[in-house]
Amino acid sequence: MTICNAIQSHGATLTRKRRIHVANLDPAAENFAYEVAFDIRELVSVEDVMEELGLGPNGGLLYCMEYLLENMDWLQDRLNEFDDDEYLLLDFPGQLELYTHVPIVRRVLDAMRMWGFESSMVGVFCIDATFLTETSKFISGSLLSLSAMIALELPHINVLTKCDLMAEGDVERMLSIESASELWNMEQYNNNSSERERKHKRHRLTEAICSLLDDYTMVSFLPLNLKDEDSINHVLMTIDHSIQYGEDQEVYTGEDEDEAVGQEN
């Protein structure tokens, strides 16, 4: 996933370099821009399942994830190879059904809780910035985010990816509106009266969904611009803060580096 590569690469550019490991848990993945720490395809892959069992892509993915659940000792062994202070991102499949409809990912996370990783776990939900092009899409994406948040029961961060492909003003305008109901009312105000009447029943359902989002007031998005290192750093710092990563480390002021340079001279 692009965000995994961005965070891993960004860690290597920091003044105090951070090695960020990324593991692939998507059995359908093929190409990786990031350095892979371990890969579920060592255990099972969609390509092999489709060939051997004659399943389609979706059925093959579901079979692979269920196979992982039956072989969780493989994942536990891989995770135990890392020290407590090492930073690991798990790149899961993007199919939302695995999070909300079929509780496969939830069961994986429950096992990780049992293994003692709960205090260092956070969910990062990524949604494409193209959802900002239409109000209805943005509301739909917000509802999906809320569904995943409730299903996984983890500290949760929503990241709006591919913001570098959108006009900066459009991103800021959409994110500055904190109420889903307000956003939808603005959309309806811009429609003509005949269209509002024609879609009245559907609008009532949308208004109810907006009220649900407003009642929870838990869905917000962090914009991620891959061309802006400050944007990537902000996302990384937000993830760090959610799991209190590095709070027991000494504050870095740059003096150690200056002393080292002075000794070399």
Side-chain angles (χ1 to χ4, degrees), residues 15 41 49 54 79 90 110 113 132 145 198 210 241 251 262:
T15 303
R41 296 179 305 168
V49 168
L79 294 176
L90 298 180
D110 285 344
R113 290 185 177 98
L132 296 177
S145 170
R198 182 171 61 87
C210 291
H241 180 71
V251 177

Side-chain angles (χ1 to χ4, degrees), residues 223-236:
L224 175 62
N225 185 338
L226 296 180
K227 298 179 180 179
D228 185 354
E229 290 294 330
D230 289 338
S231 174
I232 300 173
N233 192 60
H234 180 55
V235 171
L236 179 57

Side-chain angles (χ1 to χ4, degrees), residues 158-227:
N158 298 306
V159 175
L160 199 61
T161 62
K162 301 182 181 178
C163 287
D164 48 302
L165 303 180
M166 300 285 294
E168 185 175 352
D170 291 342
V171 175
E172 292 179 352
R173 178 180 60 83
M174 292 292 284
L175 295 183
S176 65
I177 302 175
E178 299 181 355
S179 168
S181 297
E182 179 184 351
L183 188 63
W184 182 247
N185 289 335
M186 291 173 58
E187 173 82 2
Q188 296 317 296
Y189 180 79
N190 294 329
N191 291 337
N192 57 57
S193 58
S194 60
E195 186 173 351
R196 286 199 297 269
E197 181 64 27
R198 182 171 61 87
K199 298 180 178 179
H200 178 66
K201 291 185 178 180
R202 191 175 70 182
H203 288 174
R204 290 179 59 186
L205 175 60
T206 304
E207 289 169 358
I209 292 174
C210 291
S211 296
L212 174 67
L213 291 171
D214 289 345
D215 290 343
Y216 273 90
T217 62
M218 295 176 65
V219 179
S220 59
F221 293 92
L222 288 178
L224 175 62
N225 185 338
L226 296 180
K227 298 179 180 179

Side-chain angles (χ1 to χ4, degrees), residues 39-161:
D39 189 348
I40 190 178
R41 296 179 305 168
E42 300 167 3
L43 177 68
V44 63
S45 72
V46 169
E47 182 180 2
D48 292 341
V49 168
M50 290 175 60
E51 181 178 347
E52 296 178 11
L53 301 181
L55 297 174
N58 292 333
L61 176 62
L62 186 60
Y63 179 93
C64 289
M65 298 306 291
E66 290 177 341
Y67 188 82
L68 172 63
L69 288 175
E70 296 172 357
N71 296 271
M72 289 297 287
D73 55 330
W74 174 85
L75 179 59
Q76 186 176 16
D77 290 342
R78 300 288 85 75
L79 294 176
N80 287 337
E81 293 174 358
F82 296 89
D83 295 331
D84 292 342
D85 59 346
E86 290 191 274
Y87 207 92
L88 175 65
L89 304 179
L90 298 180
D91 189 1
F92 278 90
Q95 284 75 1
L96 192 68
E97 294 83 359
L98 298 175
Y99 305 84
T100 57
H101 296 67
V102 184
I104 290 180
V105 174
R106 172 58 188 263
R107 291 173 62 187
V108 172
L109 298 178
D110 285 344
M112 292 176 61
R113 290 185 177 98
M114 292 177 57
W115 299 337
F117 295 107
E118 182 171 12
S119 63
S120 58
M121 291 166 55
V122 57
V124 180
F125 182 88
C126 298
I127 186 171
D128 200 309
T130 55
F131 272 72
L132 296 177
T133 57
E134 296 180 23
T135 301
S136 57
K137 286 185 178 180
F138 186 64
I139 293 173
S140 173
S142 299
L143 189 61
L144 293 176
S145 170
L146 181 60
S147 299
M149 184 189 307
I150 294 172
L152 300 182
E153 294 189 50
L154 282 177
H156 192 91
I157 298 171
N158 298 306
V159 175
L160 199 61
T161 62

